Amino acid sequence: MKAQPPRTPEQPDASPVNRFRRADDPEWHWLENRDDPEVAAFLEAANAEFDRWFTPLEGLVERLYHGHLARRELAVHGLRTPLDHYTYWSETPAEADYPVWWRHPNGKPDRAAPFLDLEARAADHDFLELGDMALSPDERWLAWTEDTSGDELFDLFLKALPDGRVVRLLEGIGPELTWAEDNATLLFTRYDATQRPESVWRLPLAEGVAGTPTLVLREEDPEFWLGLGKTRSREWLVLESASKDTSECHLIPARAPATPPRCFRPRESGVELALDHRPGHFYLLHNRGATHFCLDVIEEARLERSADADAWQPLVPHRDNDTLEGVDAFAWGLVLTERDHDEAQVRLRVLELDAEHGVTRDERLPLPETPCSLALGDAPHFDARCLRLREESFVLPVSWIEHDLDSGERTLIKQQPIHGDLRPEQLACERLWATAHDGERIPVSVVMRADLVGHPLPTLLYGYGAYGEVLDPWFSVARLELLARGAAFAVAHVRGGGDRGEPWYLAGKLEHKANSFRDFLAARECLVEHGISDGERIAAYGASAGGLLVGASLNLDPEAFCAAVLDVPFVDVLRTMENPDLPLTTAEYTEWGNPDEPDARKRIRAYSPLDNLVKAPYPTLFLQGSWHDTRVPYWEPAKLYARLTELDSARGPLLLRTDMAAGHGGASGRFKAWHDGARQDAFILWALGVENREA
């Protein structure tokens, strides 16, 4: 099926590409000059062309948008979380874009009071993103960071709770915040010129009055960035310095924040680690000599020997078929996050420990179904024996479970409500296994209406495949609009992601990156072979590094898909990686390679989407960019649009839309974000040939 453009009321004589073409710059590199007024003019012209083309679909956009709103609970009440003195939660009114945060003294719900109204703070801005919120340990002070442009530069604010005056303390810092346990010291990060969090600073606060920030730690290596944290025991501040494949931790006593940071274990190239603490012991999750990670323990009294690998005792050994992904320490023991390689399934494992550090309990928590997502929720109390779990799948709305470790009882405390004519129980989910070019088995998840199982359906195939990120199943209210109209939604769990553990990630990065693209195409073929999908009506979707996945796949097989959405796509890989002055570039060398090395340059050049365009029957494309995006600059989708348009060989329209008021994550307000999603869904339904079907 060839996607045909809808009729438009007018067709201008010259497209933006023809009007703004520069003969001396066939690569369209001039678009990188943000200060050139012609750049914004070109993007606005492309937006106008987009709007003209989309006019016949606007009715569908509105139906999808309002159908989405009708299916979800618009007034959202967050889970209540008790801390030492107060219970906290958020409420988002039905008509609001942003939440209001509330609290009441523990046990006194009648004394509830709001303390942070993000809807009010967003009133004067086109964009608002909350970076971090941090309560002082005595719960008297609230600090937070917010970004009002989308460029991921944050300002720091402070107020006395519940209704003190808001004070702006700092501008242009990183998002992360951590209080020391003295109630008078706040730690934050600063960026370097490439927007890398390169330093940690200590800010003294005396009854809300800020002193002079003091440098705590600076990371000189441009491939590393700094992060902040605190152990759940509240005994230690943890400063992590990490690259994509190497990390080290620095410790500061949380009650003595002026103490110089102590390097817990010097970095070793290729060794990643994470640290947690229980009084008397430290726990080190690492991959030193253990590709899939293991867990070691050392007595706190031997902290001076923490850099000596021989001082550590193994607690959870390396295993061939599981990756150990995380450790959370409690007074009674540990919760481990593990991933089964064969099933591509995450699990939570409880280890209870006695006073001599012997294991008295070792069990996995139950799964609601497979495949599914399972994660440990907020657990601020170190001695908590009721764990909050977050569960969801493609057919299970987000659910919060309280799991009692003593009785084993599971209590549903909240589930995302779903309204409308398509209920979760009317959906069916399948896990397929595609065969890749080299014989590897690739997980492919697909969800559809149960009454349509057995019929080849128009299908949207989604993928990401980078940084070891995992695409565990997630429930989507907006997706119901597609499913109700008879489309299927599929996810290709390609190599480069972490869906089958650490080996899966390593097999799709650097010299193995091409596996990701071939896996994506293999997933497409698998859907057809199993009778799930109509081979003439499969669209692809990728965002950010997922845009690279889809873009490179289209170059390999331009006729594999009838359409594709590339949202803030990373498609100018070689040129971006050649520019160390751009945000994130140097930190990405261990993911993609350093093009200063001839082999790496050749490898990147071989798959970078913009460097491999040919005159071929590309599908119709929806390209989305954001003017304030510092991760994937607006010019990457803009260049792809211009150069593909010049090739003049696509099977359908090439559309570019640039959000001039947003950053990498798109719109910050939920209603605008949902409307933007409805626009993309309208394009997908049109391309799949089902735009006239009603839900």
Side-chain angles (χ1 to χ4, degrees):
M1 170 262 185
K2 179 179 179 181
Q4 298 294 331
R7 294 180 180 177
T8 55
E10 59 176 300
Q11 296 289 346
D13 293 336
S15 73
V17 173
N18 291 332
R19 289 159 51 199
F20 288 86
R21 178 185 288 113
R22 296 184 181 181
D24 61 343
D25 188 2
E27 305 297 313
W28 291 78
H29 294 324
W30 67 271
L31 289 173
E32 298 174 11
N33 183 8
R34 181 189 295 269
D35 296 328
D36 183 345
E38 290 278 278
V39 172
F42 171 75
L43 298 178
E44 295 288 8
N47 281 351
E49 178 189 55
F50 177 96
D51 291 341
R52 283 192 296 271
W53 184 92
F54 233 85
T55 298
L57 292 179
E58 284 303 328
L60 176 59
V61 174
E62 294 306 310
R63 291 194 298 276
L64 290 169
Y65 173 63
H66 289 287
H68 174 192
L69 298 186
R71 293 183 188 277
R72 69 185 310 131
E73 197 82 23
L74 293 178
V76 179
H77 295 260
L79 285 178
R80 300 191 179 216
T81 301
L83 300 186
D84 291 342
H85 307 291
Y86 290 84
T87 295
Y88 296 82
W89 73 99
S90 65
E91 294 184 7
T92 307
E95 71 284 355
D97 270 311
Y98 302 90
V100 178
W101 285 87
W102 292 72
R103 74 174 189 173
H104 65 67
N106 288 341
K108 300 177 180 178
D110 57 311
R111 292 174 54 188
F115 63 89
L116 182 61
D117 187 340
L118 291 181
E119 182 76 3
R121 296 193 62 76
D124 296 328
H125 304 286
D126 292 331
F127 182 95
L128 178 74
E129 181 182 359
L130 182 68
D132 200 0
M133 284 175 54
L135 283 162
S136 61
D138 61 9
E139 301 176 48
R140 294 180 55 216
W141 300 93
L142 176 72
W144 73 95
T145 53
E146 60 184 53
D147 166 20
T148 55
S149 70
D151 61 3
E152 300 186 55
L153 292 171
F154 293 82
D155 293 349
L156 171 63
F157 297 88
L158 181 75
K159 68 177 289 187
L161 294 180
D163 52 8
R165 182 172 64 91
V166 174
V167 179
R168 188 198 309 262
L169 299 181
L170 296 169
E171 298 180 5
I173 66 170
E176 290 187 277
L177 300 172
T178 298
W179 283 92
E181 288 293 307
D182 63 354
N183 296 299
T185 304
L186 194 62
L187 274 69
F188 67 94
T189 60
R190 289 192 189 275
Y191 293 132
D192 66 5
T194 66
Q195 215 161 327
R196 173 181 66 99
E198 56 88 37
S199 56
V200 173
W201 296 74
R202 184 176 67 245
L203 181 67
L205 296 165
E207 290 301 311
V209 178
T212 301
T214 301
L215 177 67
V216 177
L217 182 67
R218 172 168 278 122
E219 176 54 70
E220 302 291 350
D221 191 324
E223 292 190 32
F224 284 72
W225 63 92
L226 290 169
L228 298 172
K230 183 163 51 176
T231 61
R232 186 179 282 103
S233 66
R234 294 165 61 164
E235 296 288 335
W236 297 92
L237 302 171
V238 182
L239 282 55
E240 182 185 37
S241 182
S243 71
K244 295 294 184 182
D245 67 354
T246 302
S247 58
E248 69 181 8
C249 292
H250 302 259
L251 293 177
I252 298 174
R255 292 180 176 80
T259 306
R262 172 189 189 133
C263 182
F264 192 75
R265 195 178 203 176
R267 70 188 61 169
E268 298 177 63
S269 180
V271 174
E272 299 174 76
L273 55 87
L275 187 69
D276 212 335
H277 170 262
R278 295 170 65 233
H281 294 89
F282 285 99
Y283 301 88
L284 190 69
L285 177 71
H286 69 91
N287 64 343
R288 186 177 189 267
T291 306
H292 308 159
F293 290 82
C294 61
L295 186 67
D296 291 348
V297 61
I298 189 174
E299 294 178 6
E300 192 167 359
R302 305 179 70 192
L303 183 58
E304 73 281 354
R305 293 195 60 200
S306 64
D308 183 358
D310 295 335
W312 290 84
Q313 298 298 314
L315 183 61
V316 179
H318 177 268
R319 291 154 298 165
D320 291 334
N321 296 321
D322 296 276
T323 291
L324 185 55
E325 294 186 336
V327 56
D328 288 272
F330 291 83
W332 44 262
L334 308 171
V335 176
L336 307 179
T337 302
E338 303 176 325
R339 184 165 301 275
D340 184 293
H341 297 173
D342 292 332
E343 296 182 19
Q345 175 62 56
V346 67
R347 297 181 184 274
L348 294 181
R349 178 179 170 192
V350 172
L351 290 183
E352 289 204 52
L353 306 170
D354 60 22
E356 285 71 43
H357 217 259
V359 177
T360 61
R361 178 181 186 176
D362 183 352
E363 68 178 29
R364 284 178 166 177
L365 298 183
L367 298 173
E369 59 185 75
T370 57
C372 71
S373 293
L374 176 63
L376 185 66
D378 289 338
H381 293 291
F382 189 53
D383 58 355
R385 293 194 61 81
C386 281
L387 301 178
R388 280 189 178 177
L389 309 177
R390 189 182 191 275
E391 302 176 348
E392 67 178 313
S393 75
F394 291 120
V395 298
L396 174 67
V398 178
S399 304
W400 288 267
I401 306 295
E402 194 164 76
H403 183 97
D404 190 314
L405 290 175
D406 295 319
S407 67
E409 182 179 357
R410 287 166 46 89
T411 304
L412 177 66
I413 54 177
K414 183 179 175 62
Q415 185 174 64
Q416 180 184 18
I418 303 298
H419 304 289
D421 57 349
L422 184 58
R423 312 297 301 160
E425 57 269 20
Q426 294 173 290
L427 304 177
C429 178
E430 294 186 32
R431 168 64 63 81
L432 310 176
W433 294 89
T435 301
H437 65 285
D438 57 358
E440 184 58 89
R441 297 168 66 244
I442 314 301
V444 184
S445 299
V446 59
V447 59
M448 68 205 86
R449 278 172 29 194
D451 62 319
L452 296 179
V453 172
H455 301 276
L457 302 177
T459 301
L460 176 63
L461 179 61
Y462 178 89
Y464 188 75
Y467 307 116
E469 291 293 321
V470 173
L471 295 181
D472 279 334
W474 72 100
F475 192 87
S476 166
V477 178
R479 186 192 303 143
L480 295 175
E481 291 297 304
L482 301 182
L483 301 182
R485 288 169 170 81
F489 176 81
V491 176
H493 304 276
V494 303
R495 282 173 283 187
D499 307 75
R500 295 187 66 188
E502 188 68 7
W504 207 242
Y505 171 44
L506 299 177
K509 65 180 291 192
L510 294 174
E511 68 270 22
H512 306 298
K513 187 61 203 169
N515 285 337
S516 301
F517 319 134
R518 294 190 175 189
D519 290 354
F520 193 70
L521 293 172
R524 183 241 183 248
E525 294 306 308
C526 177
L527 290 166
V528 176
E529 291 168 1
H530 282 77
I532 300 291
S533 302
D534 176 347
E536 297 297 314
R537 295 193 293 171
I538 303 178
Y541 189 108
S544 194
L548 162 61
L549 173 71
V550 174
S553 298
L554 293 179
N555 282 337
L556 290 174
D557 188 351
E559 298 186 77
F561 302 97
C562 67
V565 176
L566 282 74
D567 196 346
V568 292
F570 182 35
V571 288
D572 203 3
V573 184
L574 180 58
R575 185 169 174 85
T576 294
M577 296 308 298
E578 287 177 329
N579 187 350
D581 295 329
L582 288 175
L584 306 179
T585 292
T586 53
E588 302 275 285
Y589 287 156
T590 51
E591 180 73 22
W592 315 107
N594 185 343
D596 287 343
E597 301 169 5
D599 287 346
R601 178 184 176 80
K602 181 179 179 181
R603 200 167 59 233
I604 297 170
R605 171 67 178 78
Y607 67 74
S608 176
L610 269 172
D611 293 294
N612 290 277
L613 300 178
V614 295
K615 192 174 181 63
Y618 287 97
T620 181
L621 296 180
F622 182 142
L623 306 174
Q624 174 75 49
S626 291
W627 179 247
H628 296 291
D629 194 340
T630 58
R631 295 176 180 266
V632 179
Y634 66 86
W635 61 73
E636 297 208 24
K639 285 185 189 179
L640 182 59
Y641 160 74
R643 288 165 62 176
L644 275 175
T645 299
E646 288 187 315
L647 286 175
D648 192 27
S649 63
R651 288 173 279 145
L654 303 173
L655 304 171
L656 172 68
R657 180 179 180 273
T658 305
D659 190 327
M660 304 301 287
H664 190 62
S668 59
R670 61 176 183 163
F671 288 105
K672 186 175 186 298
W674 291 339
H675 198 275
D676 288 349
R679 186 184 296 110
Q680 291 185 352
D681 287 347
F683 170 82
I684 291 164
L685 289 171
W686 164 78
L688 294 177
V690 293
E691 75 274 23
N692 292 321
R693 297 184 191 175
E694 288 307 311

